[in-house]
Amino acid sequence: MINLMKNSKLNKSIGIIGGGQLGQMLTQAALPLGFDVTVLDPQAGSPAYLAGADQIVGDYNEASITKLAAQSDYLTTEFEEGLDTDLLSKISSSSKLNPAPKTIALILDKVIQKNYLKAKGVAMGQYTSFETHHQAGQLLKDYGGKMLIKTRRGGYDGYGNRLVDNRASLDKALSDFAGQPVYAEAFVPFIKELAVMAVRDLDGAIITYPVVETIQKNNICHEVLAPAQVDYETMQRATDLALKVAGAFDGAGAFGIEMFLTQTNELYLNEVAPRVHNSGHYSIEACVTSQFENHIRAISGRPIGSSAMKVPFAVMINILGERNGPAELKAVTEVESDEQTYVHIYGKSQTRIGRKMGHITATGISLNEAKARAEDALKEIYI
Amino acid sequence: MINLMKNSKLNKSIGIIGGGQLGQMLTQAALPLGFDVTVLDPQAGSPAYLAGADQIVGDYNEASITKLAAQSDYLTTEFEEGLDTDLLSKISSSSKLNPAPKTIALILDKVIQKNYLKAKGVAMGQYTSFETHHQAGQLLKDYGGKMLIKTRRGGYDGYGNRLVDNRASLDKALSDFAGQPVYAEAFVPFIKELAVMAVRDLDGAIITYPVVETIQKNNICHEVLAPAQVDYETMQRATDLALKVAGAFDGAGAFGIEMFLTQTNELYLNEVAPRVHNSGHYSIEACVTSQFENHIRAISGRPIGSSAMKVPFAVMINILGERNGPAELKAVTEVESDEQTYVHIYGKSQTRIGRKMGHITATGISLNEAKARAEDALKEIYI
């Protein structure tokens, strides 16, 4: 590990499209490696800025992205939704921008993503795009009376995502998403949701992180348990699935691969994100090299570090907004003296119900111990 | 551990007098805790600035220090030499400035330091201040023909420090230090030099770090071995000595306590520094909480973290300038892929023979392994 300060001749600059919490944690990983970091974000005082990045305050338009690209040795993004991949291809050679614009294009639209990966032999549940209300009604029958209606683009943290199991809920979903392209996914009866982070270097070599279990609440990632409590053979299969998915795309950087462990013990891909991911936050304290540091290393051509866990168990819990308004953090000194509890508060100035305001990672010699520690800490925090 | 971003209502600002490598590593510890950091340093683009601190570019005079104090919730210093302790007492209540001005005043002048600690029962070698050349010659005889001439103030890294063992070297030392108050220290025949970091909180509770061995080359700290290879009883005595020394002073913060293990198995105090210290750099990677983080926690009234080692062994080696001129770092990629080698380059723009330009900490399952790793890494770096 190198902690190089900025005026060394080896130093390079990283540009990040987006200055939210992912940009923030990327910044915190990149600065000690000696990089200058600049983020582009429309909101002044973004979380990444608060962590020490310079910021271009601006919309994600051609002028701003071009400006960021021009001053960056390496360009990356903390999100993909809404990005103009033609523009990205135009302003940047793919060796400079990672994830590759082509990869972003393939992942952005979930139907294109699924078609692409299905053709590569990746196992997944049934899904169909449809045009008419009538077709949707037929699909609900075909899929056994329970399915998800999802927007093809822009879904995250429960947005763009409805579970429907009768005519009324189907009508509601279609009306909510009127005007947006949607598709249907058969509901996969699963025992657990698993996730694996993979990081691919500029030469295409891929490393994976431990398999974790993710627990969702209201369609938002609530808790991540590391490592997942599944047998060795399932871990192997989950890792293989992640390698297959990450290997299907061009370009360097992190990939978050979410999957279902079905009641029949099959592993189905759920979704893939071409970036650092909420399911990998635990790696900051629990792994030799965090997903954020390895993403930075990967896109800048530096050697990728070990992803092995350096503690027996870790549990990550998101700190979600519980009201709407200016964020005001209550005292957290109770938590502070615990050496195995790590609280991250992203510094967002406005809170909103369900908004990701921070997260807690707790480590321990058993999963229960780590979980109890994280949950106890969460009780001390209100934001 | 709390990683609080800046716009939280809990946030406070830290002011550091001095923006060198100690200020830099204090900054790197303080930023993730959510503090705003400003350093005062005459040289623009100081190492601390490069690590993300704001900087007041200015001399260490009344106007600049007053300005820094006025905007800081907590004020500290990375050095003590040359500070006007009357000024410090005037501009800051002791609860805000740590180390306490009174502590700095007692430590600055080494004869005052030794007199003060000797009166508290701290064991140390013989020393005498003297006025005349003739007295010095007599002392050299009294001390068995080998002693150190040291300046009472301003000595560090071999400056202000001469070993004399005959008339000629004595004459040379006295002529070199002409006009500066000096004193003589009997040479202590030692087996090892040991050091212990102690951190005292605002309530006066003191924690100590593991006992380490320091190896000097040309009067500059070259290597630190953690933990020191001494028996348990010696460790206990060294820890007790450190507690006694740190307990003798007012105020919160880190103390670096250097001592000699004599040929007769006694422990003598060598020197104390009222701040983070080169002998504690290993703690960044090797201890649960680094000396830098604990100093920040201590002076800001936060709970002090565990100082326990989290790896079996660690070796720190300083990276010293090997020539004079603009610093230009050669590639260090060889080192980068080693997960147990941590290279810190402070980012000083000018190098100078013997100047501290960075340091390496290597960890391992044996001291030899860690030492080999650190020494191999040093060969890859030229600055």
Side-chain angles (χ1 to χ4, degrees):
Chain A
M1 218 281 257
I2 304 268
N3 191 334
L4 268 184
M5 283 300 111
K6 291 182 189 175
N7 69 349
S8 150
K9 302 268 175 181
L10 291 184
N11 291 347
K12 300 279 187 181
S13 57
I14 303 258
I16 305 172
I17 303 173
Q21 67 265 25
L22 299 181
Q24 177 180 79
M25 290 182 273
L26 286 168
T27 299
Q28 291 179 322
L31 290 178
L33 293 172
F35 289 104
D36 284 310
V37 180
T38 304
V39 299
L40 167 63
D41 198 292
Q43 190 74 45
S46 68
Y49 173 81
L50 299 177
D54 293 327
Q55 181 172 351
I56 297 172
V57 178
D59 288 327
Y60 303 117
N61 56 25
E62 182 160 358
S64 299
I65 292 176
T66 305
K67 185 177 170 191
L68 180 68
Q71 68 174 69
S72 304
D73 292 305
Y74 307 104
L75 188 63
T76 190
T77 175
E78 64 149 16
F79 69 95
E80 53 281 354
E81 182 47 41
L83 291 181
D84 178 345
T85 52
D86 289 338
L87 167 66
L88 293 180
S89 300
K90 204 176 72 184
I91 62 170
S92 173
S93 75
S94 65
S95 64
K96 182 182 183 182
L97 171 65
N98 284 290
K102 194 184 151 198
T103 297
I104 297 174
L106 283 168
I107 286 177
L108 258 180
D109 181 308
K110 283 180 193 154
V111 172
I112 294 174
Q113 178 192 133
K114 284 177 184 287
N115 288 346
Y116 178 75
L117 290 170
K118 199 174 180 184
K120 298 268 181 185
V122 173
M124 59 186 76
Q126 289 180 282
Y127 66 95
T128 316
S129 55
F130 59 85
E131 300 294 327
T132 67
H133 206 116
H134 177 74
Q135 285 173 315
Q138 187 57 46
L139 280 169
L140 185 57
K141 274 182 213 155
D142 294 349
Y143 288 159
K146 197 170 178 182
M147 68 180 188
L148 291 121
I149 299 289
K150 293 187 174 182
T151 56
R152 289 177 62 151
R153 294 180 64 141
Y156 72 99
D157 291 354
Y159 299 104
N161 191 338
R162 296 280 186 283
L163 182 68
V164 303
D165 54 5
N166 57 38
R167 195 75 213 183
S169 55
L170 177 62
D171 291 349
K172 174 82 167 56
L174 293 177
S175 136
D176 286 351
F177 296 144
Q180 296 178 67
V182 291
Y183 73 104
E185 272 185 30
F187 177 78
V188 175
F190 59 84
I191 308 168
K192 287 175 194 277
E193 289 188 81
L194 305 179
V196 177
M197 291 304 307
V199 180
R200 190 184 156 106
D201 72 15
L202 289 173
D203 299 325
I206 302 170
I207 61 114
T208 58
Y209 279 78
V211 181
V212 301
E213 179 174 353
T214 61
I215 296 167
Q216 318 284 322
K217 233 187 218 177
N218 305 322
N219 287 311
I220 302 179
C221 175
H222 168 61
E223 216 166 41
V224 172
L225 315 179
Q229 299 304 286
V230 294
D231 60 32
Y232 180 73
E233 185 269 340
T234 305
M235 287 223 180
Q236 285 292 97
R237 283 194 293 138
T239 302
D240 288 347
L241 178 62
L243 287 170
K244 195 175 205 172
V245 170
F249 295 105
D250 288 337
F255 290 87
I257 298 129
E258 296 179 284
M259 49 192 94
F260 298 118
L261 179 62
T262 70
Q263 286 173 353
T264 52
N265 203 30
E266 285 166 297
L267 281 171
Y268 282 174
L269 178 72
N270 178 11
E271 281 182 21
V272 55
R275 53 169 163 77
V276 288
H277 193 260
N278 200 169
S279 67
H281 292 357
Y282 77 96
S283 64
I284 296 175
E285 289 90 6
C287 296
V288 175
T289 319
S290 77
Q291 65 166 345
F292 301 100
E293 182 173 340
N294 265 338
H295 181 76
I296 297 293
R297 290 189 188 204
I299 66 168
S300 62
R302 294 187 165 198
I304 291 186
S306 165
S307 59
M309 287 184 75
K310 60 185 180 187
V311 292
F313 295 93
V315 170
M316 193 279 326
I317 301 190
N318 279 324
I319 301 169
L320 302 177
E322 298 174 56
R323 58 190 175 78
N324 299 317
E328 246 184 275
L329 180 65
K330 296 274 162 66
V332 286
T333 39
E334 289 298 312
V335 178
E336 200 165 17
S337 52
D338 189 318
E339 297 300 334
Q340 293 186 83
T341 307
Y342 305 88
V343 180
H344 296 250
I345 302 291
Y346 306 141
K348 297 177 183 178
S349 57
Q350 296 292 315
T351 188
R352 201 170 61 226
I353 291 169
R355 189 178 195 199
K356 289 176 181 169
M357 301 303 288
H359 75 266
I360 299 162
T361 296
T363 61
I365 54 164
S366 76
L367 202 57
N368 282 343
E369 184 195 301
K371 203 169 142 91
R373 196 169 269 139
E375 288 172 355
D376 285 351
L378 186 63
K379 287 179 203 144
E380 304 291 334
I381 295 162
Y382 177 82
I383 193 162
Chain B
M1 220 282 258
I2 303 268
N3 191 335
L4 267 184
M5 283 299 112
K6 293 184 189 172
N7 69 348
S8 150
K9 301 270 177 182
L10 290 186
N11 291 347
K12 301 279 187 180
S13 57
I14 303 258
I16 305 172
I17 303 173
Q21 68 264 23
L22 300 181
Q24 176 180 79
M25 291 182 271
L26 285 169
T27 299
Q28 290 179 322
L31 290 177
L33 294 171
F35 290 104
D36 284 311
V37 180
T38 303
V39 299
L40 167 63
D41 197 292
Q43 191 74 45
S46 68
Y49 172 81
L50 299 176
D54 294 327
Q55 182 173 349
I56 296 173
V57 179
D59 289 326
Y60 303 117
N61 56 27
E62 181 160 0
S64 300
I65 293 176
T66 305
K67 186 176 170 192
L68 180 68
Q71 69 175 68
S72 303
D73 292 304
Y74 307 104
L75 187 63
T76 191
T77 175
E78 65 150 15
F79 70 95
E80 53 283 354
E81 184 44 42
L83 290 181
D84 177 346
T85 51
D86 289 338
L87 167 66
L88 293 181
S89 300
K90 203 175 75 185
I91 63 172
S92 172
S93 76
S94 65
S95 65
K96 182 181 182 183
L97 171 64
N98 284 289
K102 192 183 154 199
T103 297
I104 298 174
L106 282 170
I107 285 177
L108 257 180
D109 181 310
K110 283 179 195 155
V111 173
I112 294 174
Q113 180 193 129
K114 283 177 184 288
N115 289 346
Y116 179 75
L117 289 170
K118 199 174 179 184
K120 298 267 182 186
V122 173
M124 59 186 74
Q126 289 180 283
Y127 65 95
T128 316
S129 54
F130 60 85
E131 299 294 326
T132 67
H133 206 115
H134 176 75
Q135 284 174 318
Q138 187 56 46
L139 280 169
L140 184 57
K141 274 181 215 158
D142 294 349
Y143 288 159
K146 198 170 179 184
M147 68 180 187
L148 293 121
I149 299 289
K150 293 187 174 181
T151 56
R152 289 176 64 150
R153 294 179 65 140
Y156 71 100
D157 290 355
Y159 299 104
N161 192 336
R162 296 280 186 284
L163 183 68
V164 303
D165 54 4
N166 56 38
R167 194 75 213 185
S169 57
L170 176 62
D171 290 351
K172 175 83 167 56
L174 294 178
S175 137
D176 285 352
F177 296 145
Q180 296 179 67
V182 290
Y183 72 104
E185 270 185 30
F187 177 78
V188 175
F190 59 84
I191 307 169
K192 286 173 194 276
E193 290 188 78
L194 304 178
V196 177
M197 293 302 309
V199 181
R200 190 183 157 107
D201 72 15
L202 289 173
D203 299 324
I206 302 170
I207 61 115
T208 58
Y209 279 78
V211 181
V212 301
E213 179 175 351
T214 61
I215 296 167
Q216 317 285 319
K217 233 187 218 178
N218 305 322
N219 287 310
I220 303 178
C221 174
H222 168 60
E223 218 167 38
V224 172
L225 316 179
Q229 299 304 287
V230 293
D231 60 31
Y232 181 72
E233 186 268 339
T234 305
M235 287 223 180
Q236 285 292 97
R237 281 194 294 138
T239 302
D240 288 345
L241 178 61
L243 287 169
K244 195 174 204 173
V245 171
F249 296 104
D250 288 337
F255 290 86
I257 297 129
E258 296 179 284
M259 51 192 92
F260 298 118
L261 179 61
T262 70
Q263 285 173 353
T264 51
N265 203 30
E266 286 166 295
L267 281 171
Y268 282 174
L269 178 72
N270 177 12
E271 282 182 21
V272 55
R275 53 168 162 77
V276 288
H277 193 260
N278 200 168
S279 68
H281 291 358
Y282 78 97
S283 64
I284 296 175
E285 289 89 6
C287 297
V288 175
T289 319
S290 77
Q291 65 166 345
F292 300 100
E293 182 174 339
N294 265 339
H295 180 76
I296 298 294
R297 290 190 188 204
I299 66 169
S300 63
R302 294 185 165 201
I304 291 187
S306 165
S307 59
M309 287 184 74
K310 61 185 180 187
V311 293
F313 295 93
V315 170
M316 192 281 323
I317 301 190
N318 279 324
I319 301 169
L320 302 178
E322 299 175 53
R323 57 188 175 80
N324 299 315
E328 243 183 277
L329 181 65
K330 295 275 162 64
V332 286
T333 40
E334 290 298 311
V335 180
E336 200 163 19
S337 52
D338 189 318
E339 298 300 335
Q340 293 185 84
T341 307
Y342 305 88
V343 180
H344 296 249
I345 303 291
Y346 307 141
K348 298 177 182 178
S349 57
Q350 295 293 316
T351 187
R352 201 171 58 226
I353 292 169
R355 190 179 195 198
K356 289 176 181 170
M357 301 303 289
H359 75 266
I360 299 161
T361 297
T363 61
I365 54 163
S366 76
L367 202 56
N368 282 342
E369 184 194 302
K371 201 168 144 90
R373 197 169 268 138
E375 288 171 357
D376 285 351
L378 186 63
K379 287 180 201 142
E380 304 291 333
I381 295 162
Y382 177 82
I383 192 160

